[in-house]
Each structure stands twice: as structure tokens, then as C-alpha cells.
């Protein structure tokens, strides 16, 4: 049990790595005080440009994928359900509530969750990513793309597995969590105040993603 507990803690710590915060600081910016104030790839994209935003997305995705792929082997348990999913969930929690920032100021979990499910269920995860890309391409709302991906993932996983498995339920729970972290964005989408990709802060009503 000690090895399992240590691995679970390691997954949380890996997820807590404050990628966006460090990238912002490297560029002389505290991202918690500019743009949306969120330490996620979207705020990096809008504040520092697409190259830094892409870097943060990739690293945050790896924060989710690596615990799922590496930690089961380290403690001698099977990859996937239940341990892989448990490591992935703790990595997502670390991203949203990072220990290195005293449990405050993390991201909304989308990039890390995508990494988790690319490791656990690659085809459904890719379907969700495609749904995200299509939604953003059509609407230019990153938040809406995240919500679409959160819906597509459990549906695609259910279609693949053809029954309601524990992993399907976990994906649905993660999707619901993404909706919860985007609750303010949903309100702004309803009011027509959400900020689109490619618009300046002065051309919107202050929407955040």
C-alpha cells in the first residue's frame, strides 16, 4: 500500500507542475493578474502568443499522460482501469489545484484531461480533440470547444466499448467537471459576452477562458 500511496501522490505532484505560471514568469508576466487570470493554455495563448500557448498545452497534456503510462509499471499494477484512471484523476486535480501554488490558481483541467485520456483511450480522446478543433474553428470560442470535447469524449468511449464501463463513467465525471470549471464561461456564452480567439481584450466584454 505504501508504493500505491506514493504513486498516487506522485501523480498529483506531476499534475501540479505550474507550466503556465513558469512560462509567464519567464516572460516577465504573472498570468494570474492578466487576461483571464487562469493558468491554462488559453490565457497563455492570448497573453503571450500561440507558440507559448502550444507549449503549455503540450506540457500540461504530458502531465496527464505520463502518470497514466509510467506509474502503473513503477508499482507493478495494470495500466488502465483502475490504477491508470486514478493516477490520471489525481494529475487533473493537481493541475486545477496545484500544490506548488498552495492549491490556488491552477488551470481548468482540459489539457491535462486530454493527456489522461489519450493514454487511457486514444481513439475516443482523439474524437474529443477533433470535436474541440471543429467547434473552435466554427465559433472561435475556446471555452465552447472545451465543452464540446467534454461531451464527445464519454459518447465516443461508450460507442467504442459498447457498454457503460467504469472508464465511461469516469470520462463522464471528468466531462461534468470540465463543465463545472467553465461555469462562468457558460454564463458569458449565454449573455454573448464570451471572448473569441483572435479578438483583443478591448473588443470584448471581458470574457475569460
Amino acid at each position: 500500500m505504501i508504493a500505491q500511496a506514493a504513486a498516487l501522490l506522485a501523480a498529483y505532484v506531476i499534475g501540479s507542475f505550474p507550466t503556465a505560471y513558469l512560462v509567464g514568469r519567464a516572460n516577465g508576466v504573472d498570468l494570474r493578474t492578466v487576461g483571464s487570470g487562469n493558468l491554462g493554455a488559453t490565457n497563455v495563448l492570448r497573453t503571450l502568443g500561440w507558440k507559448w500557448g502550444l507549449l503549455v498545452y503540450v506540457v500540461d497534456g504530458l502531465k496527464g499522460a505520463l502518470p497514466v503510462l509510467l506509474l502503473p509499471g513503477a508499482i507493478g499494477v495494470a495500466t488502465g482501469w483502475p490504477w491508470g484512471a486514478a493516477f490520471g484523476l489525481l494529475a487533473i486535480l493537481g493541475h486545477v489545484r496545484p500544490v506548488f501554488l498552495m492549491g490556488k490558481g491552477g488551470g481548468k483541467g482540459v489539457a491535462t484531461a486530454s493527456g489522461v485520456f489519450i493514454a487511457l483511450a486514444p481513439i475516443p480522446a482523439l474524437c474529443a480533440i477533433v470535436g474541440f478543433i471543429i467547434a473552435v474553428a466554427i465559433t472561435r470560442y475556446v471555452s465552447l470547444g472545451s465543452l464540446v470535447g467534454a461531451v464527445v469524449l464519454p459518447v465516443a468511449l461508450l460507442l467504442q466499448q459498447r457498454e457503460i464501463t467504469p472508464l465511461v463513467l469516469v470520462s463522464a465525471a471528468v466531462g461534468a467537471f470540465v463543465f463545472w470549471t467553465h461555469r462562468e464561461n457558460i454564463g458569458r456564452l449565454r449573455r454573448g459576452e464570451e471572448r473569441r480567439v483572435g479578438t483583443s481584450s478591448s473588443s470584448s466584454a471581458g470574457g475569460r477562458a
Side-chain angles (χ1 to χ4, degrees):
M1 289 299 296
I2 294 177
Q4 288 91 332
L8 290 169
L9 178 61
Y12 172 71
V13 171
I14 292 169
S16 293
F17 182 77
T19 317
Y21 176 79
L22 294 176
V23 165
R25 284 300 192 184
N27 286 274
V29 177
D30 186 346
L31 289 167
R32 297 172 296 180
T33 63
V34 299
S36 68
N38 182 256
L39 291 177
T42 300
N43 198 29
V44 176
L45 168 70
R46 288 173 171 162
T47 305
L48 301 175
W50 72 268
K51 292 181 180 179
W52 287 113
L54 179 61
L55 173 64
V56 170
Y57 180 85
V58 170
V59 175
D60 283 351
L62 288 173
K63 284 163 35 176
L66 292 179
V68 174
L69 295 172
L70 300 181
L71 290 178
I75 61 171
V77 298
T79 304
W81 179 263
W83 284 104
F87 295 142
L89 290 175
L90 279 168
I92 295 170
L93 177 62
H95 176 70
V96 177
R97 293 288 183 266
V99 65
F100 298 117
L101 298 177
M102 305 300 292
K104 300 178 181 179
K108 295 184 177 179
V110 175
T112 304
S114 67
V116 168
F117 282 95
I118 285 174
L120 287 173
I123 294 176
L126 290 174
C127 290
I129 291 171
V130 169
F132 167 86
I133 292 171
I134 292 173
V136 174
I138 293 173
T139 68
R140 291 192 294 137
Y141 289 127
V142 174
S143 57
L144 183 58
S146 299
L147 298 175
V148 168
V151 172
V152 171
L153 176 62
V155 172
L157 193 52
L158 178 60
L159 291 174
Q160 182 191 56
Q161 301 198 352
R162 300 186 179 183
E163 62 178 326
I164 301 177
T165 64
L167 192 56
V168 170
L169 294 176
V170 168
S171 70
V174 170
F177 181 70
V178 169
F179 269 74
W180 182 80
T181 60
H182 284 77
R183 59 196 182 281
E184 294 181 1
N185 302 84
I186 293 171
R188 286 190 291 271
L189 285 166
R190 289 174 173 173
R191 297 189 299 269
E193 298 173 355
E194 184 70 324
R195 185 175 162 189
R196 298 177 189 266
V197 172
T199 59
S200 66
S201 59
S202 61
S203 64
S204 69
R208 300 177 178 183

